[in-house]
Amino acid sequence: MKLNLSLQQEFKSSDLVLKRVQLKKTIEVTLRHVDIDSDCEIGIACVDHEESHRLNLEYRGKDKSTNVLSFPSDIPEEVLPLLDARPLGDLVICIPVVLQEAIEQDKTAHDHFMHMLVHGTLHLLGYDHELSDEDAEEMEALEIEILAKLGLENPYLER
């Protein structure tokens, strides 16, 4: 599997240093865990509160910033065989929200960001925790398994 990663860091923080190789590994482990081994493309934008708020309001009708927004590719299935890599879509990750949540949840910024990266990637693949309790449990279980493969703790444990 080859992963093409586009990374836009419109917002940076010295509290969270992102390394492209680590981001790619996290996404690749996620994809392999759900049995995707074809070449893929993904875009990641790291943004501030204002941009996250604007996008969350525009696309989800929610008047606040949020940790991660997922925009799955809408390329028709019949076109996919013509492409060199399967476009998964784009993730928009709000760094200030991730940093604040990490503090509130007593986690490192790095670990929480990686969780949001796995979580968002699963959304791009069609997983959704808001449809039913069963869907939420399935998605959480996948996240726990994937993060364990990456050497990260279960993010849902109470601290």
Side-chain angles (χ1 to χ4, degrees):
M1 171 202 314
K2 180 180 173 195
L3 177 68
N4 295 325
L5 171 66
S6 168
L7 177 63
Q8 296 177 332
Q9 289 186 267
E10 297 170 16
F11 185 90
K12 293 182 182 182
S13 170
S14 59
D15 295 326
L16 180 62
V17 178
L18 301 176
K19 296 182 180 172
R20 181 180 292 273
V21 67
Q22 211 167 25
L23 301 177
K24 285 183 80 166
K25 178 185 175 189
T26 299
I27 296 166
E28 288 168 350
V29 167
T30 302
L31 295 175
R32 284 191 183 102
H33 190 79
V34 294
D35 297 322
I36 293 178
D37 57 7
S38 58
D39 292 348
C40 296
E41 295 178 352
I42 189 169
I44 301 171
C46 297
V47 301
D48 60 15
H49 276 296
E50 291 77 20
E51 183 66 4
S52 175
H53 184 182
R54 184 186 71 73
L55 292 169
N56 202 22
L57 183 60
E58 181 177 344
Y59 290 98
R60 297 179 67 225
K62 298 194 177 191
D63 194 13
K64 64 179 184 172
S65 56
T66 189
N67 49 26
V68 61
L69 291 166
S70 304
F71 297 95
S73 172
D74 59 359
I75 293 179
E77 288 291 323
E78 59 270 12
V79 175
L80 293 179
L82 305 173
L83 304 175
D84 292 333
R86 174 183 172 183
L88 298 177
D90 298 305
L91 298 176
V92 177
I93 302 177
C94 182
I95 300 302
V97 170
V98 169
L99 294 174
Q100 184 60 42
E101 288 177 346
I103 291 167
E104 292 167 0
Q105 298 171 21
D106 194 27
K107 299 174 184 174
T108 69
H110 171 270
D111 288 1
H112 190 51
F113 183 91
M114 291 303 142
H115 177 211
M116 292 302 96
L117 186 56
V118 169
H119 183 86
T121 301
L122 289 174
H123 274 308
L124 292 178
L125 297 172
Y127 292 89
D128 194 340
H129 54 87
E130 295 183 356
L131 297 176
S132 70
D133 289 343
E134 293 81 20
D135 289 335
E137 289 172 12
E138 177 187 16
M139 192 167 171
E140 284 182 16
L142 285 171
E143 290 171 17
I144 291 165
E145 292 166 2
I146 293 163
L147 292 168
K149 286 183 175 181
L150 294 164
L152 301 175
E153 291 183 16
N154 178 343
Y156 297 103
L157 290 177
E158 291 293 323
R159 296 178 187 259

